């Protein structure tokens, strides 16, 4: 019988390990990065240093999102103000915000403007099925 004990996670940026987290970790913040697009992968770590296969890479774009709009297309504007995500969109649009850990932070429809207090982190904002990557610093 083979029983493995989950002991933590490893975080990889652009193929290189950047962090080792405990099993109860729910988030990770990668600070001090230059403005660019990075690819993140995560693995589960078990006792005896066994490691799962890496998850599908998630591209994350870091930029001066607090000053400039992250995206503007089809009447959609996604940006940050402090630790809030601002979404302006057509009123019929479906809006969903998911944190980097996969947890849904917000879902909504019927408004043309949303101000969502999310704190620091990496988020995917989806407006009518189109994803926008947002880093809140």
């Amino acid at each position: 019988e083979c029983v493995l004990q989950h002991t933590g996670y490893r975080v990889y940026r652009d193929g290189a390990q950047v962090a080792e987290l405990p099993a109860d970790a729910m988030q990770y913040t990668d600070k001090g990065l230059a403005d660019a697009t990075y690819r993140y992968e995560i693995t589960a770590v078990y006792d005896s240093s066994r490691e799962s296969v890496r998850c599908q890479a998630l591209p994350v774009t870091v930029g001066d999102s607090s000053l400039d709009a992250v995206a503007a297309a089809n009447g959609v504007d996604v940006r940050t103000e402090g630790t809030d995500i601002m979404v302006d969109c057509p009123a019929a649009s479906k809006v969903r915000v998911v944190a980097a850990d996969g947890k849904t932070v917000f879902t909504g429809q019927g408004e043309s403007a949303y101000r969502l207090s999310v704190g620091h982190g990496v988020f995917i904002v989806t407006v009518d099925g189109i994803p926008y990557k947002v880093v809140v610093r």
Side-chain angles (χ1 to χ4, degrees):
E1 178 178 326
C2 180
V3 178
L4 297 177
Q5 177 70 35
H6 177 232
T7 60
Y9 300 96
R10 289 187 182 137
V11 179
Y12 295 86
R13 178 187 350 105
D14 294 337
Q17 183 179 335
V18 293
E20 187 144 350
L21 307 173
D24 62 350
M26 299 300 290
Q27 63 184 358
Y28 170 72
T29 302
D30 201 0
K31 296 182 180 182
L33 297 174
D35 292 354
T37 298
Y38 302 93
R39 297 178 59 80
Y40 286 87
E41 298 166 299
I42 299 172
T43 62
V45 179
Y46 301 93
D47 54 355
S48 303
S49 296
R50 292 184 179 201
E51 186 173 11
S52 72
V53 174
R54 293 182 189 185
C55 70
Q56 181 176 352
L58 173 68
V60 175
T61 300
V62 175
D64 193 3
S65 59
S66 62
L67 299 176
D68 300 319
V70 174
N74 300 323
V76 174
D77 182 27
V78 179
R79 65 191 182 284
T80 62
E81 288 185 11
T83 58
D84 294 349
I85 295 176
M86 311 293 291
V87 180
D88 295 316
C89 57
S93 298
K94 293 180 182 178
V95 177
R96 181 174 183 221
V97 179
V98 178
D101 63 4
K103 291 186 179 180
T104 299
V105 176
F106 174 82
T107 58
Q109 183 176 4
E111 300 292 326
S112 61
Y114 297 92
R115 182 180 193 109
L116 309 167
S117 295
V118 295
H120 300 281
V122 177
F123 301 87
I124 303 298
V125 177
T126 305
V127 181
D128 288 334
I130 299 171
Y132 301 89
K133 299 164 206 96
V134 179
V135 176
V136 180
R137 296 183 190 187

